[in-house]
Amino acid sequence: MNINRRCALALAGALVLGGATGALAADKKITLGFAQVGAESEWRTANTQSIKTSAAKAGITLKFSDAQQKQENQIKAIRSFIAQKVDVIAFSPVVESGWETVLKEAKAAKIPVILTDRAVSVKDDSLYVTFMGSDFVEEGRRAGHWLLDNYKAQGNVNIVELQGTVGSAPAIDRKKGFEEVIKAQPRFKVIRSQTGDFTRAKGKEVMEAFLKAEGKKINVLYAHNDDMAIGAIQAIEEAGMKPGKDITIISVDGVKGAFEAMIAGKLNVTVECNPLLGPQLMDAVRDVVAGKSLPKRIVTKESVYPQSVAAKEFPNRKY
Ligand code: GZL
């Protein structure tokens, strides 16, 4: 066969292969590596469910890891996703700091990273494509505004606070937003504040300590999530006091357990923090793989649900 014909065939073959490879690239199944915080709360369970269901629906292969609320486990998982050459990495950082090194490794491997739910504090925000999640400072403000607008008793108001996981964005920001609002009325004072690590068990344990130290001086509990509030409700009842009456309780998330506690008159209000980020995350993953640009910040829309609307809203709750 003459040289020209051989070259023409080789070129045609290359085009077909290239085309085929190109076609395969377009149809190639996307693989997403997701490093989840843990399974510490009803909110987290709903968040995980939303991510798994949405990935299946989107036909995206999901590699999922549960870090049991330990940063070193999340870092290990991200490194494993890099080694497996996934198309995109997403995670909810358990705490804000300590991510530069592993995010630089993902960048060097040319694997885009999406932050969901919680933020990281890094100097170089090119280390992640976008952060999608709630505005936790605003959630704290909403809790504070509800208290100032609805707490009727006169005189000093002693508040105890159950903080979320130390160093986590929701704990830092919910505290910041709440304090920013209540400082307008100095009669509202936080007399004790300690982490309950977002769990029912720890929330109960710390509330027992608050009650031992302050007892009937406590007028209000501000819990950074519903699970800690539900744990605290048990401690308040075991101390012979009426949660939602002797102690006004404000919490965050809006999980079903909170609505049940409000219907029972034991919780006064929950500030919604939407965990159902799965569909939005899968859209973002597909856009990133398709080379589309994304806003650096995608904020989830949320509400505030007082006890008075709990029974009516409960049937609509998806988590
Ligand atoms: C908030 C999320 C928090 C929830 C807690 O977006 O990170 O973590 O408020 C969960 O219930 O544990």
Side-chain angles (χ1 to χ4, degrees):
M1 183 187 300
N2 71 37
I3 185 88
N4 290 338
R5 190 158 163 63
R6 266 211 305 272
C7 287
L9 276 176
L11 181 63
L15 283 175
V16 167
L17 264 180
T21 320
L24 275 177
D27 301 345
K28 175 177 169 301
K29 218 157 141 65
I30 297 172
T31 301
L32 166 66
F34 191 89
Q36 181 59 292
V37 166
E40 72 283 1
S41 63
E42 280 188 56
W43 190 98
R44 190 63 56 196
T45 306
N47 180 247
T48 291
Q49 192 52 45
S50 172
I51 288 160
K52 288 183 172 175
T53 311
S54 304
K57 225 181 260 173
I60 288 173
T61 303
L62 179 67
K63 293 180 179 296
F64 183 90
S65 89
D66 170 337
Q68 283 140 17
Q69 288 189 285
K70 289 183 175 55
Q71 181 174 30
E72 63 269 21
N73 290 346
Q74 279 193 303
I75 291 175
K76 262 194 224 131
I78 293 170
R79 286 197 166 120
S80 149
F81 296 149
I82 293 170
Q84 296 175 68
K85 297 185 172 38
V86 299
D87 298 299
V88 182
I89 290 170
F91 73 115
S92 166
V94 59
V95 292
E96 282 192 341
S97 55
W99 300 101
E100 260 88 357
T101 305
V102 74
L103 290 179
K104 281 181 186 153
E105 290 166 21
K107 186 173 179 181
K110 296 190 177 23
I111 299 176
V113 174
I114 294 174
L115 301 179
T116 72
D117 167 28
R118 299 183 184 179
V120 294
S121 89
V122 290
K123 288 187 206 64
D124 174 7
D125 71 4
S126 75
L127 291 174
Y128 61 88
V129 173
T130 185
F131 161 44
M132 63 174 64
S134 308
D135 178 342
F136 302 130
V137 178
E138 186 50 31
E139 291 170 351
R141 291 192 192 104
R142 287 176 185 160
H145 282 304
W146 184 89
L147 182 60
L148 299 192
D149 295 347
N150 291 279
Y151 195 86
K152 301 302 176 206
Q154 290 313 306
N156 287 340
V157 182
N158 297 321
I159 303 163
V160 293
E161 180 181 30
L162 285 170
Q163 296 183 34
T165 302
V166 176
S168 70
I172 293 165
D173 290 351
R174 284 172 186 165
K175 181 174 183 49
K176 185 171 152 196
F178 184 76
E179 288 174 348
E180 179 190 295
V181 168
I182 66 165
K183 69 172 185 246
Q185 293 193 28
R187 78 186 185 104
F188 289 88
K189 224 159 126 281
V190 176
I191 57 170
R192 297 239 171 199
S193 180
Q194 196 178 323
T195 183
D197 209 20
F198 282 133
T199 67
R200 290 192 185 198
K202 200 90 178 87
K204 182 177 186 220
E205 189 189 307
V206 175
M207 191 66 203
E208 283 163 351
F210 286 162
L211 287 160
K212 214 162 163 195
E214 304 291 353
K216 297 201 181 325
K217 266 178 60 189
I218 300 170
N219 305 113
V220 174
L221 163 64
Y222 170 45
H224 290 185
N225 85 329
D226 294 332
D227 286 72
M228 294 189 292
I230 291 163
I233 284 167
Q234 287 165 12
I236 294 166
E237 289 180 315
E238 287 170 10
M241 293 170 78
K242 290 192 184 65
K245 295 176 184 59
D246 298 333
I247 297 180
T248 296
I249 305 177
I250 305 166
S251 76
V252 185
D253 277 352
V255 296
K256 282 191 178 130
F259 280 81
E260 286 157 347
M262 287 195 285
I263 291 165
K266 298 179 180 178
L267 176 70
N268 299 88
V269 59
T270 184
V271 175
E272 187 183 33
C273 176
N274 189 344
L276 307 180
L277 300 174
Q280 228 175 353
L281 172 58
M282 297 314 146
D283 289 348
V285 167
R286 273 197 293 245
D287 287 350
V288 166
V289 169
K292 290 184 192 157
S293 63
L294 288 170
K296 207 68 190 168
R297 180 77 174 91
I298 304 169
V299 183
T300 28
K301 291 186 181 48
E302 292 151 352
S303 239
V304 178
Y305 295 100
Q307 202 178 89
S308 54
V309 304
K312 188 165 143 291
E313 171 62 22
F314 186 62
N316 308 327
R317 300 306 294 167
K318 296 193 183 71
Y319 65 95

